[in-house]
């Protein structure tokens, strides 16, 4: 009589070990079928242009003399030199080499030395381009994909109850490190020199189609509250009503990756509106996506005294710069470790980060030429 051995039981989850990802997360390209900020609006005045990049694709952003913003492939169709080396005249972008002229749709509309009876050469690729929230967004993907309809919604931007700080910095790491760093508040030990000893508690983890999020509350075990944090979030010497099970009796921080963007909102105990509302996009720069440009909007709720936020702002800037600087150093160190090892060897045990990593890999794509 033959017997059938039972199938082996996968006990990795019991030990806090996630199942293998379908692809190395650091070798996963971001999905281009979304809107990505590539510059600040203020960086492109009328008649100005700026060369930028999305995942190795060179793009020139330009503004006509009437104020229309547009985005083209940053290569002249003639000799392939960057159009960002040219100049804007009227509603045209002129190549700085032979003065080939392109309109806002990328069509070549004039070659000064071409006989009038000759047909004009082909133009260059254009990209959908929208200006919003003080940023210039470009859609680098398939214009027939659903992502073109999913423009980010940031309701607190422009709300007079908030003052906005722009985050605009290049960071030498894969975008996934940025998502993990913000989502995992267990790294507060990193910030001990600025914040003292902070104990985070994860309260709830949720997920859905294309998103994951987690709620935290915090308790300061040792050290004084930094003045910048106090001005930004209010006095937080200890957890309000720490023994209470009610959500409204706690400070709550909710961090969400709604692919491909990430948000953080902080509510003080009992408040109906967030004291802090942060929106981030991590835009890959190079083809291997080992560098990103972080564009963020940090909305801080104004105190009740009119004009007080402007006096407090330098302290808030100094405090957040310190936090961001420590985070930048550590994620770049993670990237160097990956580069030295050639693969992701992280032993991740935190459930929300396991879910986040799965989301980023399944929503992303393989990087061409990277195994």
């Amino acid at each position: 009589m033959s017997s059938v051995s039972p199938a082996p039981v996968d006990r990795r989850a019991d030990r806090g070990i996630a199942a293998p990802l379908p692809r190395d997360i650091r070798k996963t390209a971001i999905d281009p079928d979304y809107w990505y900020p590539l510059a600040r609006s203020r960086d492109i005045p009328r008649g100005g242009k700026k060369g930028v990049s999305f995942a190795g694709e060179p793009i020139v952003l330009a503004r006509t003399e009437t104020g229309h913003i547009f985005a083209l492939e940053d290569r002249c169709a003639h000799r392939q030199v960057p159009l960002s080396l040219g100049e804007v005249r009227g509603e045209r972008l002129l190549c700085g080499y032979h003065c080939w002229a392109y309109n806002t749709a990328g069509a070549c509309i004039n070659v000064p030395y071409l006989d009038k009876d000759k047909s004009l050469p082909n133009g260059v690729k254009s990209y959908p381009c929208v200006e919003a929230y003080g940023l210039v967004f470009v859609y680098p993907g398939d214009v027939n994909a659903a992502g073109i309809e999913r423009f980010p919604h940031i309701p607190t931007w422009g709300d007079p109850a908030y003052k906005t700080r722009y985050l605009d910095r290049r960071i030498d790491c894969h975008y996934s490190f940025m998502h993990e760093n913000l989502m995992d508040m267990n790294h507060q030990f990193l910030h001990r020199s600025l914040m003292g000893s902070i104990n985070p508690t994860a309260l709830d983890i949720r997920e859905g189609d294309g998103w994951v999020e987690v709620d935290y509350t915090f308790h300061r075990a040792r050290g004084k509250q930094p003045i910048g944090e106090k001005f930004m979030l209010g006095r937080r010497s200890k957890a309000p009503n720490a023994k209470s099970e009610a959500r409204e009796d706690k400070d709550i921080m909710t961090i969400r990756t709604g692919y491909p963007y990430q948000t953080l909102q902080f509510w003080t105990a009992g408040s109906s509106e967030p004291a802090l509302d942060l929106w981030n996009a991590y835009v890959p720069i190079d083809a291997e996506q080992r560098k990103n440009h972080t564009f963020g909007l940090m909305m801080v709720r104004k105190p009740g005294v009119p004009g007080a936020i402007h006096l407090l702002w330098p302290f808030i800037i100094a405090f957040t710069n310190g936090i961001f600087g420590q985070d930048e150093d550590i994620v770049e160190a993670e990237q160097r470790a990956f580069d030295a090892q050639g693969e992701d060897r992280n032993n991740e045990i935190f459930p929300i980060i396991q879910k986040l990593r799965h989301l980023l890999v399944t929503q992303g794509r393989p990087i061409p030429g990277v195994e």
Side-chain angles (χ1 to χ4, degrees):
M1 182 175 181
S2 63
S3 61
V4 178
S5 300
V9 177
D10 190 340
R11 298 292 186 187
R12 286 176 298 203
D14 297 338
R15 304 194 303 272
I17 302 173
L21 295 172
R23 183 190 314 114
D24 191 316
I25 189 171
R26 318 304 178 195
K27 299 177 183 179
T28 297
I30 207 165
D31 186 349
D33 292 341
Y34 289 88
W35 290 91
Y36 292 94
L38 297 187
R40 298 275 300 275
S41 292
R42 70 176 191 181
D43 293 337
I44 311 169
R46 293 191 180 206
K49 71 274 188 287
K50 181 179 178 68
V52 296
S53 177
F54 176 85
E57 294 183 34
I59 297 172
V60 58
L61 305 176
R63 192 186 301 276
T64 69
E65 292 180 358
T66 60
H68 176 65
I69 195 86
F70 62 101
L72 303 177
E73 175 186 2
D74 196 10
R75 299 185 187 94
C76 180
H78 181 209
R79 296 287 184 87
Q80 307 300 301
V81 300
L83 289 172
S84 54
L85 298 177
E87 64 178 85
V88 175
R89 289 187 187 172
E91 305 301 294
R92 304 175 172 191
L93 177 58
L94 308 180
C95 177
Y97 198 2
H98 292 85
C99 199
W100 285 30
Y102 298 90
N103 66 13
T104 59
C108 181
I109 56 175
N110 185 58
V111 176
Y113 51 89
L114 185 67
D115 293 341
K116 295 188 181 300
D117 60 343
K118 302 292 186 181
S119 59
L120 289 165
N122 293 332
V124 297
K125 181 179 179 180
S126 66
Y127 298 85
C129 184
V130 171
E131 203 166 5
Y133 313 122
L135 300 169
V136 179
F137 287 80
V138 170
Y139 183 85
D142 179 1
V143 295
N144 297 311
I148 200 165
E149 302 297 331
R150 296 193 290 258
F151 196 82
H153 178 55
I154 310 173
T156 52
W157 186 90
D159 185 331
Y162 292 84
K163 181 176 173 66
T164 298
R165 179 190 179 185
Y166 285 86
L167 308 179
D168 178 3
R169 61 176 66 193
R170 169 178 159 155
I171 302 177
D172 290 343
C173 75
H174 190 265
Y175 64 89
S176 61
F177 289 115
M178 303 296 293
H179 281 271
E180 292 176 359
N181 172 264
L182 188 62
M183 184 73 77
D184 189 353
M185 283 291 128
N186 292 308
H187 80 269
Q188 293 307 305
F189 185 72
L190 173 68
H191 303 308
R192 60 195 180 278
S193 64
L194 297 175
M195 300 183 66
S197 179
I198 301 291
N199 294 332
T201 301
L203 300 175
D204 190 24
I205 295 172
R206 299 173 293 275
E207 62 183 326
D209 184 18
W211 63 271
V212 295
E213 67 180 16
V214 58
D215 292 339
Y216 291 96
T217 193
F218 300 87
H219 173 65
R220 190 181 307 279
R222 291 187 304 277
K224 295 182 178 180
Q225 184 182 21
I227 191 169
E229 179 193 321
K230 186 185 300 183
F231 289 157
M232 185 166 62
L233 303 177
R235 186 181 296 276
R236 326 235 56 78
S237 59
K238 59 182 180 179
N241 300 321
K243 295 182 180 180
S244 172
E245 295 297 322
R247 179 185 173 100
E248 59 269 19
D249 290 335
K250 295 180 171 67
D251 293 340
I252 299 292
M253 177 184 286
T254 300
I255 305 170
R256 176 187 178 98
T257 290
Y259 192 90
Y261 316 115
Q262 193 168 46
T263 59
L264 179 154
Q265 294 180 307
F266 186 96
W267 287 267
T268 56
S271 64
S272 59
E273 300 293 337
L276 174 67
D277 190 0
L278 174 67
W279 180 91
N280 279 336
Y282 313 118
V283 183
I285 297 172
D286 57 318
E288 291 187 340
Q289 306 203 10
R290 294 186 181 186
K291 301 177 177 64
N292 78 86
H293 199 120
T294 294
F295 289 95
L297 302 169
M298 187 180 79
M299 281 70 70
V300 178
R301 192 163 183 84
K302 298 175 182 177
V305 179
I309 189 66
H310 305 301
L311 299 175
L312 306 179
W313 202 243
F315 298 96
I316 293 172
I317 295 297
F319 170 70
T320 53
N321 278 349
I323 297 295
F324 297 151
Q326 290 179 337
D327 286 334
E328 180 176 341
D329 289 344
I330 209 71
V331 294
E332 290 185 346
E334 288 186 288
Q335 180 66 59
R336 290 192 296 272
F338 171 83
D339 291 341
Q341 295 168 335
E343 61 182 355
D344 175 50
R345 297 185 185 177
N346 286 18
N347 294 301
E348 188 51 63
I349 61 171
F350 192 29
I352 184 59
I353 303 303
Q354 292 174 347
K355 293 179 183 297
L356 171 67
R357 287 161 62 87
H358 185 266
L359 173 70
L360 294 177
V361 170
T362 54
Q363 294 288 320
R365 302 180 180 185
I367 297 178
V370 176
E371 298 181 358

